[in-house]
Amino acid sequence: MASASTPPSRRTGEICYGQPVVEYEKSLFFETSSANRVSRRSVLCGSQNIRVNKGKSIIESNALLRGDLSPISVGKYTIVERNVVLRPPYKKHKAGLAFFPLTINDHVLIEEDAVVEAISVGNFVTIGARSIIGKRCIIKDAAVILPDSVLPPDTVVPPFCVFGGNPGALVDKPYFIGCAHTCLMAPFTLVVWTSSHLPNVL
């Protein structure tokens, strides 16, 4: 149990708009010039190749970003939860291994313990906890990957679809509510940042 002097990096509080409110301890994160919050306990390998420059994204504790293999780009309002591994994909050639950049777009939620080796993750995507996204996968906008899913290498997930299982496959067709321009997006978590004692919404 953490003491008052060493608070946990995150804790779940009350329910707001049907989603749990997650509070993050500010002292355990550092803030970049574009208002990203990066846990002091995360591991950023090859940080010069990791671009999180659009702003307002969160990288939680024990997340591992392998920018030493190839560039990694993370868009705005994206949450990389605890113990997530972001590893650029590769392909074998006669001359050796060729690594490809990993691009994660805006408003993406990657839940804890997931491993992502995709080439591209679109906007408004949710990748469930403990999922494994195989090498060179492409996940298009507003797709949902269910928890504990395993996507084989080179899988292409269409927009507005739900994939799950091992091996990962389509479990729900494209879904809409209302008119064609109103889409049901994956739920996100409301984030509240706190100081050591008092709540403080940024």
Side-chain angles (χ1 to χ4, degrees), residues 79-93:
I79 299 177
V80 178
E81 290 193 350
R82 294 172 294 186
N83 304 314
V84 166
V85 177
L86 300 183
R87 185 166 51 224
Y90 66 86
K91 193 167 187 178
K92 292 182 179 179
H93 295 280

Side-chain angles (χ1 to χ4, degrees), residues 17-196:
Y17 296 105
Q19 297 298 315
V21 176
V22 177
E23 299 178 352
Y24 290 84
E25 180 56 46
K26 291 174 67 175
S27 64
L28 299 180
F29 290 77
F30 64 86
E31 183 175 348
T32 68
S33 59
S34 52
N36 298 298
R37 273 80 174 190
V38 180
S39 172
R40 299 181 187 277
R41 299 173 182 170
S42 62
V43 180
L44 309 181
C45 301
S47 57
Q48 71 276 9
N49 292 328
I50 299 173
R51 296 188 298 273
V52 194
N53 52 13
K54 290 187 176 181
K56 304 292 186 180
S57 290
I58 301 172
I59 298 176
E60 293 191 16
S61 61
N62 298 318
L64 172 61
L65 280 67
R66 293 297 308 274
D68 57 322
L69 301 175
S70 193
I72 296 175
S73 177
V74 179
K76 62 185 178 182
Y77 298 106
T78 289
I79 299 177
V80 178
E81 290 193 350
R82 294 172 294 186
N83 304 314
V84 166
V85 177
L86 300 183
R87 185 166 51 224
Y90 66 86
K91 193 167 187 178
K92 292 182 179 179
H93 295 280
K94 291 182 179 179
L97 299 179
F99 284 90
F100 302 94
L102 167 56
T103 301
I104 297 173
N105 284 288
D106 304 337
H107 302 275
V108 174
L109 173 61
I110 305 177
E111 295 181 344
E112 58 187 24
D113 299 308
V115 178
V116 179
E117 294 186 86
I119 283 182
S120 176
V121 177
N123 300 296
F124 298 101
V125 168
T126 295
I127 297 176
R130 301 170 301 282
S131 294
I132 298 176
I133 310 301
K135 299 174 182 65
R136 303 176 302 277
C137 288
I138 297 175
I139 303 176
K140 298 193 175 180
D141 292 349
V144 176
I145 310 300
L146 298 179
D148 301 299
S149 300
V150 179
L151 295 190
D154 301 303
T155 299
V156 178
V157 179
F160 302 103
C161 287
V162 180
F163 267 54
N166 182 8
L170 180 68
V171 297
D172 200 359
K173 295 180 179 179
Y175 52 100
F176 299 91
I177 54 175
C179 66
H181 299 289
T182 305
C183 314
L184 178 62
M185 298 300 184
F188 271 74
T189 302
L190 180 63
V191 173
V192 176
W193 290 82
T194 68
S195 63
S196 297

